[in-house]
Amino acid sequence: QGSVDCPNLEFEYGDADGHGAELAELYSYTEEPELSTNRRCFEEDFHAQVQGRRWLELDRAQQKAYVMRLLDGLEVVNRDKRLQVARAILYLAQGVFGDCDKEGDVLHWSRHNSFLLYQLGTFTAFLELLNMEIDNSQACSSALRKPAISLADSTELRVLLSVMYLMVENIRAEQEADPPEWKTCRETFRMELSFPVHTEEPFALLLFTMVTKFCSGHAPHFPMKKVLLLLWKVLLFTLGGFEALQAMKVRKREELGLPPLPEDSIQVMRSMRAASPPTYSIELMEQQQQKRGHRSRRPLVKQDSLDIYNERDPFKNDEAGVDEEENDDVDSGIEGELDLMERDAIIPTMPAQRPPIERVSFPKGLPWAPKVRQKDIEHFLEASRNKFIGFTLGQDTETLIGLPRPIHESVKTLKQHKYVSISDVQIKNEEELEKCPMSLGEEEVQETPCEILYRAMLYNLPQYMIALLKILLAAAPTSKAKTDSINILADVLPEEMPITVLQSMKLGIDVNRHKEIIVKSISALLLLLLKHFKLNHIYQFEYVSQHLVFANCIPLILKFFNQNIMSYITAKNSISVLDYPHCTVCDLPELTAESLEAGDNNQFCWRNLFSCINLLRILNKLTKWKHSRTMMLVVFKSAPILKRALKVKQAMMQLYVLKLLKIQTKYLGRQWRKSNMKTMSAIYQKVRHRMNDDWAYGNDIDARPWDFQAEECTLRANIEAFNSRRYDKPQDSEFAPVDNCLQSVLGQRLELPEDFHYSYELWLEREVFSQPIRWEELLHYQ
């Protein structure tokens, strides 16, 4: 699929897909019969209580009274009766579709009922039931004994998680017409999920625990897709989405007294266009023009090493790119290959006036303002002083005595574009706190939802990251089915396996869709965690990212992209007539093999493109400014894999691929750069420039292989120092005052166990009298 085949993808990146699509992805197609079961459970109970009326006809007070009666039914001991009541509540959360005629009505009543259910305390009641189900050892042991787990093993859990997901998603989604009561309700719910009152841990931690329990093999029946979707939406709701993050970043920079951001990155990316290099036929015409006039041959011999940063040259002298790519392999540029038949078909139809139009359509300026770090200015001055004076002045960036005028100008330009990040300030503060713990005293830590979540996750964070990556590996389309890999299909496989071809096709689509949704939720929640922790404190981010790297996240993401990415993004693993809420209000047409193969009419699959962008963003977050991890990209031969991903003509995805190529360009050798000038040009146009970053040349002083191990070890030591300083509160700290008075020490009251006086003499004999006193050890004690 070359660039001619793949049109520009009209994709708008956001926190999540449309509201209806997000609700539809909660259910697998094999769960569809359960919708009518929920309806039956509700109607049997409702008609017994309220004769001759529909739910929509009741006033608010009557609806409240009925819901309260249902909630009382959750208190019964009988498990089956409890499940029936939970199904009736789920039917309410699904939008009482039996009384609706249109999809819009179902979604409206689903939102209305979700707010009503929350106000009457349904979420708390379901949280208690969820805790009971998680601890249900009987269900775990029966699932462990079964050779094949199916939907039937997770019925109760799926009903509970579905109600909770519908409530979180409906209350989270803001709409302009929401009454003030709902807005208050939303804030209360957010606070309840972020700042736990009754329990000691936030709700997200319970879901993380479910993920690790599932991966350890103790609870193979957990419906992982629903758990992950709910976890992602809870994090999105409590921590905030990408726009909220941007606003928090702006606010935090103001608080720290830093200058405002040079641009709003979300807006810049929205206005970016996908790279559309000239098609093969135009290249042929340009080559013919070159053969006629050899004017530009000589001055362009060293273009790749001299003129990368001259803004005019990569655009004006673009023939160099074509000239140097003649000998490249077919798969080299951003565009894909065209076969000979297609080339022959395209060349005659091109109008003669096209080349000049293509040539003037380049952007006027670069999209990003350049940034310079303090470290870059220090490196530049160190090199300049060594060259002109013969000695250095450490971190002094003010003294310019003895340096020539052009160096003064360069330093002035660098300082104009100097960017101090929030992370830089946090690292500096951390160094000072480590240096002077007594004089600076206790650090004031703001109790934000992010801080509370990190503190709760801290001690089991490595297990959480490993578990998420295990599931991501099992759901990746490139993974081979292995006997030791975890079974993530427990909540999609029916009790009776399909017997007809049509049923098999339907199940095949369902399984693929199920895996895609798992990849989407894990990629989105990992990215959210990384971004929020980075803003909250850089070492929290580094702790998470280091454990992701140790759990082989980098090769895993590269393995994910080592497939035909165009076919993954355009995959049609959905049956739109079976999607909720369509399947609840419309008569289902008879499914045929042809209709299943045809799929929907969408140009691309939103969730798959969303997942790909998220995974690329995670990879960027893990490797940025880390030479050891950049070398992992080089060692795992990521360049050809990433270049194939450039075939997808979507600006945001291309930007993150180009960023990953940019950081490793200097390690790929002159020949690679020479034969990939189109990619180099695209990097120049789209990726932010660092003033004295020689990404395109390969003579980087930081590229020393022996530093890599040390780099990770230093980072780990800093993270551990931060965690122990902020989160370990040892009683016998070395800075705690010491009581030297014998009488006050002996006079202290100690908490002893109640039965201690019974065994006191035995304790004295064992611990004191029978232990020989080694006086010489006092002399050797360091």
Side-chain angles (χ1 to χ4, degrees), residues 28-125:
S28 56
Y29 298 141
T30 36
E31 282 180 283
E32 188 205 337
E34 293 189 18
L35 291 168
S36 52
T37 312
N38 300 340
R39 180 179 174 179
R40 194 185 67 248
C41 288
F42 171 81
E43 287 178 351
E44 281 173 7
D45 186 76
F46 185 71
H47 294 316
Q49 304 288 347
V50 186
Q51 265 101 26
R53 297 179 71 186
R54 299 189 308 160
W55 172 261
L56 312 187
E57 294 165 357
L58 301 184
D59 61 29
R60 190 163 178 77
Q62 290 169 320
Q63 288 181 345
K64 277 187 172 181
Y66 179 70
V67 171
M68 290 304 285
R69 197 180 291 120
L70 277 180
L71 289 175
D72 288 342
L74 289 176
E75 303 291 327
V76 297
V77 178
N78 187 314
R79 191 180 166 87
D80 295 333
K81 283 185 181 171
R82 246 192 353 245
L83 179 62
Q84 281 189 322
V85 175
R87 281 193 181 282
I89 293 173
L90 175 55
Y91 177 70
L92 283 175
Q94 285 170 340
V96 286
F97 47 81
D99 297 351
C100 300
D101 301 321
K102 295 197 294 289
E103 291 179 36
D105 295 344
V106 178
L107 294 176
H108 166 77
W109 280 103
S110 179
R111 286 195 86 220
H112 173 276
N113 294 343
S114 293
F115 277 99
L116 179 70
L117 289 168
Y118 172 67
Q119 286 162 345
L120 297 175
T122 311
F123 194 85
T124 317

Side-chain angles (χ1 to χ4, degrees), residues 100-244:
C100 300
D101 301 321
K102 295 197 294 289
E103 291 179 36
D105 295 344
V106 178
L107 294 176
H108 166 77
W109 280 103
S110 179
R111 286 195 86 220
H112 173 276
N113 294 343
S114 293
F115 277 99
L116 179 70
L117 289 168
Y118 172 67
Q119 286 162 345
L120 297 175
T122 311
F123 194 85
T124 317
F126 271 69
L127 184 54
E128 285 177 19
L129 290 174
L130 182 64
N131 275 309
M132 279 168 56
E133 279 301 324
I134 291 169
D135 298 334
N136 184 348
S137 55
Q138 192 182 346
C140 292
S141 56
S142 72
L144 284 166
R145 282 197 303 271
K146 284 190 177 181
I149 303 169
S150 69
L151 274 173
D153 296 293
S154 59
T155 308
E156 286 86 355
L157 276 169
R158 282 185 297 107
V159 170
L160 298 175
L161 291 166
S162 296
V163 172
M164 293 170 114
Y165 179 84
L166 287 166
M167 286 174 72
V168 169
E169 183 59 11
N170 279 319
I171 295 173
R172 182 190 73 82
E174 295 179 33
Q175 289 183 7
E176 285 179 20
D178 288 351
E181 183 193 355
W182 283 12
K183 290 176 183 172
T184 316
C185 199
R186 181 178 295 121
E187 287 313 307
T188 315
F189 193 24
R190 183 184 278 126
M191 294 293 281
E192 190 184 311
L193 291 174
S194 312
F195 303 98
V197 184
H198 305 300
T199 55
E200 292 299 310
E201 54 191 33
F203 176 54
L205 198 77
L206 177 69
L207 299 173
F208 271 118
T209 313
M210 286 184 79
V211 174
T212 47
K213 198 171 177 184
F214 171 80
C215 283
S216 64
H218 297 313
H221 64 299
F222 280 2
M224 239 337 90
K225 185 186 82 174
K226 285 182 169 53
V227 173
L228 291 166
L229 279 173
L230 180 55
L231 177 54
W232 166 38
K233 291 302 166 59
V234 166
L235 292 178
L236 188 56
F237 187 30
T238 54
L239 304 181
F242 299 123
E243 304 226 336

Side-chain angles (χ1 to χ4, degrees), residues 366-408:
L366 299 170
W368 304 98
K371 283 182 183 176
V372 178
R373 298 179 300 165
Q374 176 70 17
K375 198 188 280 184
D376 298 332
I377 301 174
E378 287 167 13
H379 281 168
F380 177 73
L381 276 170
E382 187 182 354
S384 304
R385 285 173 183 144
N386 272 328
K387 183 177 178 182
F388 293 106
I389 308 172
F391 63 87
T392 61
L393 299 174
Q395 294 180 334
D396 181 353
T397 56
E398 301 305 316
T399 312
L400 301 176
I401 296 162
L403 295 174
R405 191 84 214 145
I407 300 293
H408 288 233

Side-chain angles (χ1 to χ4, degrees), residues 13-15 232 235-236 239-242 245 465 468 472 519-535 541 544 548 553 557 610-622 652 656:
Y13 185 83
D15 294 327
W232 166 38
L235 292 178
L236 188 56
L239 304 181
F242 299 123
L245 250 168
M465 294 305 116
L468 287 172
L472 184 61
V519 171
K520 171 189 170 181
S521 51
I522 291 179
S523 67
L525 78 87
L526 280 177
L527 181 62
L528 265 182
L529 281 177
L530 288 171
K531 286 189 78 68
H532 277 282
F533 285 153
K534 188 170 186 183
L535 187 59
F541 160 80
V544 175
L548 285 172
C553 186
I557 295 176
F610 178 69
S611 303
C612 288
I613 292 174
N614 287 341
L615 290 170
L616 287 168
R617 292 184 75 177
I618 292 166
L619 203 48
N620 266 294
K621 289 242 168 286
L622 297 181
M652 194 171 179
Y656 287 111

